[in-house]
């Protein structure tokens, strides 16, 4: 007998964040520009209007004030933008990739760590990563300094890769837990990581994702290590953190 579908299970902090990302995308694409506006516009005059709408090369009001890039007005590299740029996406394929990745990876992390810690890790890694990636990439490719700073940066992938790193840290301390991760989550995580980093783009994006994953590993270890040492000291053999099966009790 098939289990009855429970719509309440879809009401997770991760899924609420996904809805917020989708709302921000459409607001950025279709909010009208105020009179006298001279800031960023995504519209590409060399493309037919249909392609501008399909691929998101239109609008850009929120991008101008929330994304990062030295050409954005005003204060395109202002500190607050390292946080707000996580809510925006450049085009619909960018949005879809991150929404799918966040749905599987974020919901698994939420079940394992709880919603508030997932949010904290997601935004902390995404925020700090921005401050590290640009200087690191410029140090690697100094002749692209101006281009790197001018490029409009946005997207939730930094935070998502941070959650991948956190999940890997959890598996390191509790290797058997990998058997309890749903197969779709494993497959999507692998495809998302490889596709968004090494297939779709190279250069800055690769550095961004690698930095985010390392930060996720570091923060994940910092969170898990005290519990691991405590259980080891007291001779407890239970899992270090809740598993995906009983995760509803953690958040």
């Amino acid at each position: 007998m098939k289990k009855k579908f429970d719509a309440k299970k879809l009401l997770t902090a991760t899924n609420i964040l996904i809805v917020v990302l989708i709302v921000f995308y459409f607001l950025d694409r279709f909010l009208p520009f105020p009179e006298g506006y001279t800031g960023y516009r995504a519209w590409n005059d060399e493309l037919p209007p249909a392609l501008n709408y399909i691929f998101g090369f239109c609008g850009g009001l929120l991008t101008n004030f929330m994304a990062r890039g030295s050409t954005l007005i005003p204060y395109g590299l202002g500190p607050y933008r390292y946080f707000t740029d996580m809510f925006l996406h450049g085009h619909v394929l960018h949005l879809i990739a991150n929404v799918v990745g966040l749905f599987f990876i974020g919901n698994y992390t939420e079940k394992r760590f709880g919603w508030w810690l997932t949010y904290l890790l997601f935004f902390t890694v995404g925020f700090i990563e921005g401050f590290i990636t640009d200087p690191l990439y410029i140090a690697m490719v100094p002749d692209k300094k101006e281009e790197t700073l001018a490029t409009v940066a946005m997207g939730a992938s930094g935070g998502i890769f941070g959650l991948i790193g956190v999940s890997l840290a959890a598996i390191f301390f509790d290797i058997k837990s990998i058997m309890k991760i749903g197969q779709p989550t494993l497959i999507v995580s692998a495809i998302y990581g490889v596709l968004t980093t090494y297939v779709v783009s190279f250069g800055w994006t690769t550095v961004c994702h690698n930095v985010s994953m390392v930060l996720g590993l570091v923060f994940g270890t910092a969170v898990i290590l005290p519990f691991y040492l405590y259980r080891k000291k007291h001779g407890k053999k239970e899992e270090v953190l809740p598993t995906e099966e009983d995760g509803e009790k953690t958040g």
Side-chain angles (χ1 to χ4, degrees):
M1 184 177 178
K2 292 184 178 180
K3 292 183 179 180
K4 187 177 179 180
F5 175 71
D6 186 3
K8 291 182 179 179
K9 289 186 177 181
L10 293 176
L11 191 61
T12 65
T14 297
N15 291 344
I16 291 173
L17 177 58
I18 287 173
V19 172
V20 171
L21 295 181
I22 293 172
V23 169
F24 268 81
Y25 174 79
F26 282 102
L27 288 176
D28 191 34
R29 295 304 100 186
F30 301 112
L31 274 178
F33 295 113
E35 187 176 351
Y37 175 81
T38 57
Y40 174 83
R41 295 175 185 266
W43 190 271
N44 188 337
D45 292 325
E46 297 180 0
L47 295 177
L51 291 181
N52 273 281
Y53 285 109
I54 292 173
F55 292 102
F57 301 130
C58 57
L61 184 62
L62 295 187
T63 295
N64 188 70
F65 294 101
M66 295 174 63
R68 280 188 294 121
S70 60
T71 57
L72 300 178
I73 303 171
Y75 316 119
L77 298 176
Y80 78 92
R81 292 176 183 262
Y82 290 84
F83 175 79
T84 57
D85 67 346
M86 299 176 67
F87 291 93
L88 304 177
H89 292 83
H91 50 78
V92 70
L93 297 180
H94 186 198
L95 175 70
I96 290 172
N98 279 347
V99 162
V100 172
L102 184 58
F103 178 80
F104 286 94
I105 300 164
N107 275 301
Y108 169 74
T109 310
E110 183 176 341
K111 290 176 181 178
R112 195 83 198 270
F113 290 89
W115 72 267
W116 68 270
L117 191 54
T118 297
Y119 265 24
L120 179 63
L121 292 168
F122 176 85
F123 287 111
T124 299
V125 171
F127 181 75
I128 296 176
E129 167 270 316
F131 287 97
I132 298 175
T133 300
D134 284 356
L136 182 58
Y137 185 62
I138 291 170
M140 295 169 59
V141 193
D143 59 323
K144 289 190 175 183
K145 178 179 180 180
E146 296 303 322
E147 178 185 341
T148 301
L149 295 177
T151 300
V152 178
M154 64 180 79
S157 59
I160 297 172
F161 270 82
L163 295 183
I164 293 176
V166 170
S167 300
L168 289 175
I171 292 171
F172 175 79
F173 285 101
D174 181 19
I175 192 65
K176 292 182 180 180
S177 67
I178 194 172
M179 303 300 294
K180 296 184 179 181
I181 301 176
Q183 192 175 47
T185 300
L186 285 173
I187 293 173
V188 170
S189 298
I191 293 176
Y192 176 83
V194 173
L195 189 66
T196 59
T197 302
Y198 301 107
V199 177
V200 176
S201 57
F202 293 91
W204 184 89
T205 302
T206 301
V207 175
C208 164
H209 293 163
N210 289 342
V211 167
S212 296
M213 186 175 292
V214 171
L215 285 173
L217 282 167
V218 171
F219 282 113
T221 301
V223 169
I224 299 167
L225 187 58
F227 294 94
Y228 174 79
L229 294 176
Y230 175 81
R231 290 181 179 276
K232 188 175 182 181
K233 179 180 178 181
H234 292 273
K236 296 185 178 182
K237 296 182 179 180
E238 294 90 343
E239 292 177 90
V240 177
L241 290 171
T243 64
E244 188 172 10
E245 291 183 350
D246 57 11
E248 287 81 4
K249 300 178 182 179
T250 68

